[in-house]
């Protein structure tokens, strides 16, 4: 799977900063450039591990879900882990 | 120095695009503030009639706090447009701001929510004279990768305008 476009990465970076602003969530000593590098790296990791993620999903879900639905499923699981602080 | 005006969030007006969000901070006190984005250059304006007795170098003192950042720098810029009676400028169609005035970008407070005040010398004041219809434009220079490095929103609480009186 291809990585996000530069504009999509920029939008993700901007949206993340708005979200942490709304939640008053400090990012330590991180600069904007540091955070952007992290966004890029996470996107690259997702792209590099798409096949492994897909393989991890058992059948019949792997065959039944669309790529978009699988991504959404991952988002839900990660969000729940985030809420619980796991 | 004399204070000529103090502009707050509610008295700002906004362009059609790329403007800070008008919101309140402190859920109990609901302090009005202008939230300047960290990723996109956003700006707002305030208008006033230049008072009589205006003299000397003018400055703008920006009071702000950060939404979440506790390190790195934030950069603001102030531009001035001064329109004299009978000036040939169609304000319904265009603007005529002078060259932008810059600041020495401050390091943000070590605790989010703590205020900082940064001074911008208005060297370029568009030849402002008493009685002019004046517009001040405030922008966060979010695309300056060297001077604007703090993550998240910058909340501008007020801008004080001084002259040398």
């Amino acid at each position: 799977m291809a990585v996000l476009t530069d504009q999509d990465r920029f939008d993700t970076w901007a949206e993340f900063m708005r979200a942490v602003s709304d939640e008053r969530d400090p990012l330590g000593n991180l600069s904007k450039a540091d955070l952007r590098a992290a966004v890029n790296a996470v996107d690259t990791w997702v792209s590099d591990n798409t096949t492994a993620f897909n393989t991890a999903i058992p059948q019949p879900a792997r065959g039944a879900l669309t790529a978009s639905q699988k991504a959404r499923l991952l988002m839900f699981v990660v969000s729940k882990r985030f809420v619980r602080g796991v | 120095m004399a204070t000529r005006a103090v502009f707050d969030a509610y008295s700002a007006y906004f362009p059609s695009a790329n403007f800070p969000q008008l919101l309140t901070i402190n859920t109990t006190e609901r302090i009005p503030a202008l939230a300047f984005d960290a990723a996109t250059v956003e700006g707002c304006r305030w208008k006033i009639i230049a008072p009589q007795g205006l003299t000397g170098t003018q400055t703008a003192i920006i009071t702000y706090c950060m939404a979440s950042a506790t390190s790195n720098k934030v950069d603001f810029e102030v531009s001035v447009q001064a329109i004299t009676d009978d000036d040939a400028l169609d304000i319904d169609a265009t603007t005529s701001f002078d060259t932008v005035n810059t600041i020495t970008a401050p390091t943000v407070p070590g605790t989010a929510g703590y205020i900082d005040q940064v001074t911008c010398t208005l060297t370029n004041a568009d030849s402002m004279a008493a009685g002019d219809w004046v517009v001040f434009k405030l922008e966060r220079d979010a695309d300056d990768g060297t001077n604007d490095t703090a993550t998240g929103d910058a909340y501008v609480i007020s801008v004080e305008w001084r002259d040398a009186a």
Side-chain angles (χ1 to χ4, degrees):
Chain A
M1 177 183 288
V3 297
L4 293 173
T5 64
D6 188 65
Q7 184 61 52
D8 283 340
R9 286 183 169 186
F10 176 91
D11 292 344
T12 300
W13 175 64
E15 289 164 13
F16 183 85
M17 285 195 287
R18 288 192 203 104
V20 296
S21 293
D22 290 345
E23 296 163 13
R24 311 295 192 267
D25 189 8
L27 300 179
N29 292 326
L30 221 57
S31 69
K32 289 197 293 185
D34 294 336
L35 181 62
R36 178 61 193 269
V39 168
N40 294 351
V42 170
D43 178 48
T44 297
W45 179 88
V46 170
S47 177
D48 291 346
N49 288 277
T50 301
T51 301
F53 166 60
N54 189 61
T55 303
I57 301 173
Q59 296 290 11
R62 190 194 313 159
L65 296 175
T66 65
S68 177
Q69 288 169 331
K70 291 172 185 174
R72 195 176 188 187
L73 176 61
L74 176 62
M75 184 186 73
F76 269 72
V77 171
V78 171
S79 293
K80 180 60 69 176
R81 290 171 67 87
F82 167 73
V83 169
R84 291 193 173 184
V86 174
Chain B
M1 289 183 289
T3 297
R4 291 301 187 173
V6 178
F7 303 111
D8 69 4
Y10 282 149
S11 61
Y13 70 95
F14 308 98
S16 59
N18 298 329
F19 50 85
Q21 181 185 1
L22 175 61
L23 47 65
T24 60
I25 60 174
N26 189 319
T27 53
T28 302
E29 296 300 310
R30 296 173 57 81
I31 302 166
L34 296 163
F36 284 81
D37 199 75
T40 302
V41 176
E42 295 180 334
C44 66
R45 294 99 168 91
W46 290 275
K47 53 182 172 57
I48 196 168
I49 298 295
Q52 300 300 310
L54 198 64
T55 185
T57 301
Q58 300 170 50
T59 54
I61 294 86
I62 303 159
T63 300
Y64 76 96
C65 67
M66 300 304 292
S68 59
T70 57
S71 63
N72 294 289
K73 298 186 293 182
V74 66
D75 192 19
F76 294 103
E77 295 177 339
V78 180
S79 305
V80 179
Q81 171 185 278
I83 310 300
T84 305
D85 185 21
D86 290 333
D87 270 358
L89 180 74
D90 180 359
I91 67 168
D92 191 32
T94 189
T95 60
S96 179
F97 286 98
D98 201 346
T99 304
V100 70
N101 299 286
T102 60
I103 65 171
T104 299
T107 298
V108 304
T111 300
Y114 282 19
I115 70 163
D116 184 31
Q117 293 181 316
V118 58
T119 299
C120 180
T121 300
L122 303 180
T123 305
N124 307 304
D126 205 23
S127 303
M128 188 192 308
D132 283 354
W133 181 70
V134 177
V135 178
F136 294 98
K137 177 170 62 175
L138 173 68
E139 293 179 312
R140 177 181 177 179
D141 199 10
D143 61 358
D144 185 333
T146 300
N147 294 304
D148 194 285
T149 54
T151 58
D153 289 351
Y155 295 143
V156 172
I157 311 300
S158 67
V159 176
E160 177 193 0
W161 176 35
R162 298 178 185 173
D163 72 352

